[in-house]
Amino acid sequence: MKFLAEEIEEYSVLHTENESELLKSLNRETHANILNPRMLSGHLQGRFLSMISRMIRPERILEIGTYTGYSAICLCEGLQPGGKLITIDINEELETFTRNFFKRSPFEDSIDYRIGTALDIVPTLGDTFDLVFIDADKINYSSYFNLCLEKVRTGGFLIADNVLWSGKVIQPEQTKIDRDTQALLDFNRMVHEDSRVSNILLPIRDGLMILQKL
């Protein structure tokens, strides 16, 4: 996931606004107590998500893939008063840990945290969303996009994380491609060719695909 020289990344972090004390604590406790802490958005990407949310000023946000809640809290920083973020995760083992941090945040009343399968839950949602963040199982990225796009307002945004997949998306052609990498290759090509959205792939952390619904 490291695409920049460490010195450049450290310099970038040093010249990016600080994460809150709550987010610092969440970062530390995730790394100390939770498996696969690299799944956490972290300081630099978290500040980017917060900035995007503050630019859009969404009333409704949908997040697919909560993990321990870092990105959800960052995205909530741009919510309009009375706004709501729905976040969905399949891992019920993280629920107590994650809810604890939501309760400690200023956004407890704005977060609707649901445990279950996003492919089942998203079709039941009646909301129209200003912003969708996809950071879940890679196999279903194309399905998540197709489900969510119809629920995003015209001019709204979708962001998909991990679209560079530690550089595996540019493996030599003769290399055997695993299912997750193939799913991301298919997703990246699909959205790039989709006339319903405009797109830019940013090499931030593990790659962020940013899409605007036309």
Side-chain angles (χ1 to χ4, degrees), residues 64-195:
I64 299 177
T66 314
Y67 190 48
T68 56
Y70 191 102
S71 54
I73 292 172
C74 292
L75 290 167
C76 281
E77 292 176 10
L79 274 176
Q80 292 192 30
K84 179 173 69 173
L85 176 143
I86 298 173
T87 183
I88 303 167
D89 201 281
I90 199 169
N91 190 350
E92 61 185 18
E93 293 181 2
L94 294 177
E95 182 175 5
T96 299
F97 180 96
T98 303
R99 285 197 187 279
N100 176 56
F101 276 93
F102 287 160
K103 288 178 181 178
R104 291 165 58 185
S105 81
F107 310 112
E108 180 184 2
D109 294 338
S110 302
I111 297 174
D112 180 355
Y113 177 34
R114 305 190 186 189
I115 300 296
T117 303
L119 293 176
D120 295 330
I121 294 173
V122 172
T124 70
L125 302 177
D127 302 79
T128 297
F129 296 98
D130 306 293
L131 175 60
V132 173
F133 182 51
I134 301 171
D135 186 15
D137 58 299
K138 312 312 165 191
I139 294 296
N140 285 309
Y141 262 37
S142 293
S143 297
Y144 295 144
F145 168 78
N146 287 320
L147 274 178
C148 293
L149 186 62
E150 64 184 41
K151 296 183 178 295
V152 174
R153 66 168 173 83
T154 300
F157 292 84
L158 301 93
I159 302 175
D161 196 10
N162 303 117
V163 294
L164 293 178
W165 206 226
S166 299
K168 291 181 180 180
V169 292
I170 54 170
Q171 291 180 110
E173 288 186 8
Q174 66 271 21
T175 304
K176 185 176 180 180
I177 298 176
D178 62 80
R179 293 178 66 232
D180 286 332
T181 303
Q182 187 61 58
L184 288 169
L185 286 167
D186 294 341
F187 170 79
N188 290 340
R189 182 178 63 253
M190 180 187 73
V191 298
H192 182 60
E193 296 174 351
D194 195 321
S195 61

